[in-house]
Amino acid sequence: MGSAWKICRTNECKNAFQEKNLLPAPPVQVHEQRIIWTSLCDGSYPVHALFFCFCSATPVKTDSHIPHPSWCLRIDKQISRFRRWLPKKPMRLDKETLPDLEENDCYTAPFSQQRIHHFIIHNKDTFFNNATRSRIVHHILQRIKYEEGKNKIGLNRLLTNGSYEAAFPLHEGSYRSKNSIRTHGAENHRHLLYECWASWGVWYKYQPLDLVRRYFGEKIGLYFAWLGWYTGMLFPAAFIGLFVFLYGVITLDHCQVSKEVCQATDIIMCPVCDKYCPFMRLSDSCVYAKVTHLFDNGATVFFAVFMAVWATVFLEFWKRRRAVIAYDWDLIDWEEEEEEIRPQFEAKYSKKERMNPISGKPEPYQAFADKCSRLIVSASGIFFMICVVIAAVFGIVIYRVVTVSTFAAFKWALIRNNSQVATTGTAVCINFCIIMLLNVLYEKVALLLTNLEQPRTESEWENSFTLKMFLFQFVNLNSSTFYIAFFLGRFTGHPGAYLRLINRWRLEECHPSGCLIDLCMQMGIIMVLKQTWNNFMELGYPLIQNWWTRRKVRQERGPERKISFPQWEKDYNLQPMNAYGLFDEYLEMILQFGFTTIFVAAFPLAPLLALLNNIIEIRLDAYKFVTQWRRPLASRAKDIGIWYGILEGIGILSVITNAFVIAITSDFIPRLVYAYKYGPCAGQGEAGQKCMVGYVNASLSVFRISDFENRSEPESDGSEFSGTPLKYCRYRDYRDPPHSLVPYGYTLQFWHVLAARLAFIIVFEHLVFCIKHLISYLIPDLPKDLRDRMRREKYLIQEMMYEAELERLQKERKERKKNGKAHHNEWP
């Protein structure tokens, strides 16, 4: 029996067959078969729910197992009730109850008094928003001459000499209200921002970026747009990193290496320090071997490649997102030439002027020789401060090599048996304290060097200061991490011939389970402590300061006068924004981005920690800007400035560092070489867990205890293990035994592992860089719809200019005809 099948969301097919009297009333029995018809296509259900309506010119036969329509209707009612309970688009802001978020969709252009009739002006008092008006006032105050004499120009000089205590734009009233915003609406934009952006109850919603830009300006709006984009892109990275960690947890019981370590009760390891460190069983490091497997497993290489690609995708799609924002916020045509010259630059070089080749107007000029000399002095200062950082790291290294012996002789058994972990933990905490102390010094030095350079514009000043501070803090924060990842345990020598620092201190060795556990501890502790401290300083410190200020005001004036304070006095009692603008906010996130990408192969949970921190960071920064800080001066910017170049540099560095971490720090390459060359599956092309049998024993070398140096010989003779003094102990390396022709020389397996490590680094870097460049090439900087919109706008502007010119010429022609001055050859 032929039939016409149709999928519909309206009552189209129902009406069609009702007109032809072909639709029976449900249910109808025809030849002992049931015809199915429900009201699924009667238009009463939401459009987004896809229903199927089976329409046929003849009755449709169905199998007997199909349920009765009433049963379908009951299920459908339950589903509809559940859908009504769920919120619609929960992450989007409710624009119906917040009408101030609506933006007019119209074409824009730079304002000109001569073309004021072309602009849509409903109210001249509100045509320019408060952010723009405050920027205009600040521009005037920065350049007005307040007194006769040299350099008596600008508001900044009055603030510097103490004539004024502060200068700032005012907030638009209070951010709190007795009435609900949903019933009475927002009292002002500050109140609206607090309710839909800075409140902790809306942490899961999108940010109202247009409103942020309207209130704080484009520069701050771009920061929050970038922070939101970065946080959103962390979701896939955090998910994959968590998957890698869980994969290590699931495969932990099947890991042959950790099994062998835990079962190696008969393998005695050599002491890790001089004299006081005892011999130890390899099985004592069972827990550390299992923890190492959680981070160093078969999925680590995949995750390292993924994060390198992720960094490129993040930056490429941010360029597209930035282009859309720049278009929507009228920043496409805003160029750096429109930026004002810094008043300090004008005051310094006001006597030397030259014509600006673009504007044709005279402007202050800095000679090339003067600029070069200042840059040389600045570069020397940067180099000196980086040497200070390296010296601090050297001090941490000395602390580690001295403390490990001290902890090994400690009275408490817990610390004595875990001397290496205790040394690493305390060294990381001390390193963190040194980092925070040096940051204060770096800030002052960077400010001094930047002012010495005399940048021409504010953006040049910010870029120069940003680069210096980033170099200082990046080296300060990551220098110890680089030492642990690439130097710890690499140049220690071997028992009987240890390399020593200043011919005194024996260099620190890795734990018997490997160096990766030290790197994980370093990254985890530094990342958690750094983010916790930053969050406290961003919110906790302003809260305490504002509370103390309000307390002093109440003591001076009494609580009854609190409500009568004018807005300027309320804002004056708030904390001023950082003198360097958004530098601290960007720097915190960029350093976090470095932690998330540079050593992610050693700590796959870094993206997850960064994601959790950023979800809090967005609302914390919003709360701080709206409630705890004075309103910052609005300023324009079309991108995130030099930070984008720094992000690209970190992305390139992350590929190199992850290649070295996998090849050198982890045991991925030695295990691979053993599986294919020396293990039970050698020559068979397999590398499963069964091929790793005997790996632990093959990765340890034998040392004769009688060959110890006098200053390295341990106090214990190891008789506590077997009842007799030990003759041999094991250590991590690929060296010949003491009775060979060349005692303690490198074995062939060492050279195979070294060649495989170098080959892996080269192949990994070239492969990942090729993928990164391919992705960069395939992803255009501008979305296609944005490119079409820009072309459409350009076309309409040309048409409008043509019509306006044509109208002008026609009007002139009519006037000439009216005056009797018409010519024969006229156009048009």
Side-chain angles (χ1 to χ4, degrees):
M1 183 180 296
S3 61
W5 298 80
K6 195 169 188 178
I7 301 174
C8 66
R9 299 183 186 178
T10 64
N11 53 4
E12 174 185 337
C13 54
K14 179 179 176 181
N15 294 336
F17 287 102
Q18 281 180 343
E19 291 176 0
K20 297 182 180 182
N21 296 322
L22 296 175
L23 182 63
V28 177
Q29 298 291 333
V30 180
H31 302 293
E32 298 182 352
Q33 301 292 332
R34 188 179 303 138
I35 293 179
I36 298 179
W37 174 262
T38 65
S39 59
L40 297 182
C41 292
D42 61 359
S44 62
Y45 290 87
V47 175
H48 63 267
L50 180 61
F51 296 112
F52 295 90
C53 175
F54 303 108
C55 304
S56 175
T58 56
V60 180
K61 293 185 176 181
T62 61
D63 296 330
S64 59
H65 67 273
I66 296 180
H68 194 272
S70 60
W71 188 75
C72 293
L73 287 175
R74 286 197 299 270
I75 294 178
D76 189 69
K77 288 180 181 179
Q78 296 297 329
I79 295 176
S80 299
R81 185 179 303 173
F82 180 72
R83 284 197 182 118
R84 286 194 296 269
W85 177 79
L86 290 176
K88 296 181 179 179
K89 299 180 179 179
M91 298 179 67
R92 294 188 178 276
L93 296 167
D94 189 359
K95 293 188 177 182
E96 295 180 359
T97 58
L98 303 175
D100 287 340
L101 297 181
E102 296 289 343
E103 290 286 341
N104 295 324
D105 188 12
C106 56
Y107 293 108
T108 58
F111 179 77
S112 174
Q113 184 69 29
Q114 290 76 15
R115 295 182 295 172
I116 192 172
H117 56 280
H118 289 301
F119 292 88
I120 302 174
I121 303 177
H122 300 294
N123 187 349
K124 291 186 177 181
D125 295 333
T126 59
F127 178 68
F128 294 110
N129 57 43
N130 285 347
T132 305
R133 298 163 80 95
S134 64
R135 191 164 64 244
I136 295 173
V137 172
H138 183 263
H139 176 85
I140 296 173
L141 292 176
Q142 283 287 76
R143 283 153 180 79
I144 192 170
K145 194 168 186 178
Y146 60 85
E147 187 180 334
E148 294 296 331
K150 182 181 179 182
N151 299 333
K152 304 293 185 179
I153 300 174
L155 178 63
N156 284 347
R157 186 167 293 276
L158 292 174
L159 292 171
T160 303
N161 61 27
S163 299
Y164 291 108
E165 291 187 5
F168 51 87
L170 297 181
H171 279 295
E172 298 180 10
S174 175
Y175 64 89
R176 294 186 182 274
S177 176
K178 297 180 180 179
N179 303 318
S180 172
I181 190 173
R182 298 188 177 278
T183 57
H184 294 76
E187 295 186 358
N188 51 65
H189 283 164
R190 189 187 185 192
H191 179 215
L192 183 61
L193 276 172
Y194 177 78
E195 292 291 339
C196 67
W197 183 48
S199 176
W200 296 102
V202 295
W203 64 271
Y204 59 92
K205 290 186 177 293
Y206 294 131
Q207 301 182 86
L209 295 177
D210 290 330
L211 186 59
V212 175
R213 169 240 182 176
R214 185 192 307 172
Y215 193 81
F216 291 110
E218 289 80 1
K219 195 169 188 177
I220 295 177
L222 268 173
Y223 163 71
F224 281 102
W226 176 84
L227 179 57
W229 184 259
Y230 171 46
T231 304
M233 289 293 293
L234 277 174
F235 274 95
F239 176 79
I240 300 298
L242 183 61
F243 169 78
V244 172
F245 180 78
L246 293 178
Y247 175 81
V249 174
I250 295 171
T251 59
L252 182 60
D253 295 334
H254 306 285
C255 179
Q256 180 63 31
V257 176
S258 60
K259 283 182 181 180
E260 292 186 359
V261 171
C262 295
Q263 296 171 1
T265 57
D266 57 338
I267 297 180
I268 308 301
M269 302 297 295
C270 297
V272 295
C273 66
D274 294 337
K275 292 188 177 182
Y276 300 108
C277 291
F279 295 98
M280 60 179 294
R281 287 188 175 92
L282 180 60
S283 58
D284 293 342
S285 60
C286 175
V287 175
Y288 303 111
K290 291 182 177 180
V291 173
T292 301
H293 177 74
L294 299 180
F295 302 101
D296 185 14
N297 50 65
T300 303
V301 177
F302 159 75
F303 186 57
V305 175
F306 171 81
M307 286 304 297
V309 174
W310 172 87
T312 302
V313 172
F314 161 65
L315 293 176
E316 291 300 320
F317 276 94
W318 164 246
K319 284 196 292 188
R320 294 165 60 89
R321 174 63 176 158
R322 185 209 62 82
V324 173
I325 293 175
Y327 176 80
D328 293 337
W329 291 358
D330 307 321
L331 299 172
I332 294 292
D333 297 328
W334 186 79
E335 299 295 340
E336 187 178 352
E337 286 76 18
E338 300 180 22
E339 191 176 3
E340 301 88 357
I341 299 175
R342 294 178 68 238
Q344 295 86 342
F345 186 88
E346 288 182 333
K348 179 69 175 178
Y349 299 101
S350 58
K351 294 183 178 180
K352 300 178 182 180
E353 293 185 347
R354 72 171 183 179
M355 298 299 294
N356 188 311
I358 300 175
S359 63
K361 298 179 181 179
E363 64 178 13
Y365 169 69
Q366 182 182 16
F368 179 76
D370 179 73
K371 186 174 183 178
C372 287
S373 61
R374 292 176 180 273
L375 288 177
I376 292 174
V377 174
S378 178
S380 302
I382 294 173
F383 178 76
F384 173 76
M385 294 308 299
I386 291 178
C387 292
V388 172
V389 177
I390 297 175
V393 175
F394 187 75
I396 294 294
V397 172
I398 295 178
Y399 168 83
R400 293 175 69 105
V401 299
V402 171
T403 309
V404 67
S405 300
T406 305
F407 284 152
F410 213 73
K411 295 181 180 180
W412 295 349
L414 178 63
I415 297 179
R416 185 172 62 250
N417 297 334
N418 299 276
S419 58
Q420 283 189 299
V421 178
T423 300
T424 301
T426 55
V428 171
C429 295
I430 294 175
N431 184 34
F432 175 75
C433 295
I434 294 176
I435 288 172
M436 303 310 298
L437 291 175
L438 288 179
N439 284 344
V440 179
L441 176 63
Y442 295 153
E443 183 177 331
K444 297 183 181 299
V445 173
L447 181 63
L448 176 65
L449 295 178
T450 305
N451 289 332
L452 179 66
E453 293 177 5
Q454 287 292 345
R456 179 176 174 271
T457 62
E458 287 295 336
S459 63
E460 291 180 2
W461 188 95
E462 289 182 4
N463 290 342
S464 178
F465 180 76
T466 297
L467 184 60
K468 293 180 182 61
M469 281 296 293
F470 172 76
L471 288 175
F472 291 158
Q473 296 214 19
F474 181 81
V475 175
N476 188 24
L477 190 64
N478 293 283
S479 54
S480 295
T481 309
F482 272 89
Y483 164 74
I484 294 175
F486 305 127
F487 297 99
L488 178 63
R490 310 295 170 204
F491 309 102
T492 59
H494 63 87
Y498 287 116
L499 298 179
R500 297 183 179 273
L501 196 63
I502 321 179
N503 198 27
R504 180 178 180 182
W505 294 299
R506 170 181 162 185
L507 292 177
E508 186 182 5
E509 293 184 30
C510 292
H511 196 272
S513 60
C515 295
L516 199 65
I517 187 68
D518 297 297
L519 184 58
C520 291
M521 288 183 60
Q522 173 81 12
M523 291 190 61
I525 295 175
I526 290 292
M527 193 170 185
V528 172
L529 289 179
K530 180 72 173 174
Q531 293 182 160
T532 303
W533 175 260
N534 288 338
N535 290 338
F536 170 76
M537 292 302 296
E538 287 185 8
L539 183 60
Y541 182 74
L543 281 173
I544 295 173
Q545 288 287 333
N546 291 334
W547 170 81
W548 183 255
T549 302
R550 289 193 300 268
R551 183 175 179 274
K552 290 196 301 183
V553 171
R554 284 197 299 267
Q555 290 178 351
E556 294 174 359
R557 304 191 181 187
E560 66 279 357
R561 296 190 59 187
K562 180 180 178 181
I563 302 178
S564 62
F565 286 171
Q567 186 63 43
W568 69 265
E569 194 164 357
K570 294 179 182 178
D571 291 357
Y572 176 73
N573 292 328
L574 297 177
Q575 294 301 304
M577 186 181 176
N578 191 301
Y580 313 125
L582 293 169
F583 169 79
D584 286 339
E585 279 71 24
Y586 272 118
L587 181 64
E588 178 187 356
M589 291 295 103
I590 298 301
L591 292 177
Q592 182 202 88
F593 180 81
F595 260 92
T596 306
T597 55
I598 292 179
F599 294 103
V600 73
F603 193 58
L605 293 180
L608 179 61
L609 294 179
L611 174 63
L612 297 177
N613 176 80
N614 287 7
I615 292 175
I616 300 174
E617 182 75 20
I618 292 177
R619 304 304 162 181
L620 189 148
D621 282 349
Y623 184 83
K624 176 179 60 180
F625 271 92
V626 175
T627 67
Q628 301 302 312
W629 277 3
R630 298 171 186 169
R631 187 176 182 179
L633 178 67
S635 57
R636 306 195 80 188
K638 63 187 304 182
D639 52 32
I640 61 176
I642 196 175
W643 294 112
Y644 185 84
I646 293 175
L647 287 171
E648 286 188 323
I650 292 176
I652 295 173
L653 180 63
S654 67
V655 177
I656 301 173
T657 54
N658 282 303
F660 276 88
V661 166
I662 296 172
I664 297 177
T665 310
S666 74
D667 290 336
F668 175 77
I669 298 300
R671 294 175 185 176
L672 207 62
V673 171
Y674 178 81
Y676 284 101
K677 184 67 177 177
Y678 297 96
C681 305
Q684 300 178 14
E686 299 181 10
Q689 290 298 325
K690 64 178 182 179
C691 302
M692 299 303 299
V693 176
Y695 167 76
V696 173
N697 185 63
S699 63
L700 299 176
S701 300
V702 179
F703 177 74
R704 187 165 48 205
I705 296 177
S706 59
D707 293 339
F708 266 122
E709 300 173 301
N710 291 332
R711 54 180 172 178
S712 298
E713 187 174 359
E715 294 181 345
S716 172
D717 59 359
S719 57
E720 64 271 15
F721 295 102
S722 60
T724 58
L726 294 175
K727 295 182 179 181
Y728 299 97
C729 63
R730 310 292 294 273
Y731 61 98
R732 283 174 56 93
D733 209 341
Y734 297 101
R735 292 181 180 271
D736 292 322
H739 53 269
S740 61
L741 296 177
V742 182
Y744 309 116
Y746 287 118
T747 63
L748 183 61
Q749 187 175 356
F750 169 83
W751 299 109
H752 285 163
V753 171
L754 180 61
R757 282 173 167 168
L758 296 177
F760 175 83
I761 292 173
I762 296 173
V763 173
F764 181 89
E765 289 181 355
H766 283 72
L767 176 63
V768 175
F769 278 131
C770 288
I771 295 175
K772 287 170 67 72
H773 284 93
L774 179 62
I775 292 175
S776 301
Y777 174 77
L778 293 178
I779 300 178
D781 293 345
L782 291 178
K784 184 179 182 303
D785 58 339
L786 177 61
R787 189 182 295 108
D788 294 341
R789 287 165 59 190
M790 295 175 64
R791 290 175 178 174
R792 173 68 176 170
E793 181 177 350
K794 184 177 180 180
Y795 169 76
L796 292 177
I797 291 175
Q798 291 176 347
E799 288 290 318
M800 183 185 67
M801 294 176 62
Y802 172 77
E803 292 176 359
E805 184 67 17
L806 182 62
E807 183 180 355
R808 184 184 65 81
L809 292 175
Q810 289 177 347
K811 186 181 295 185
E812 291 180 357
R813 181 180 180 182
K814 290 180 181 179
E815 290 180 356
R816 286 197 298 268
K817 285 184 178 181
K818 186 176 180 180
N819 297 331
K821 298 181 180 180
H823 298 278
H824 295 289
N825 297 324
E826 289 185 349
W827 185 88

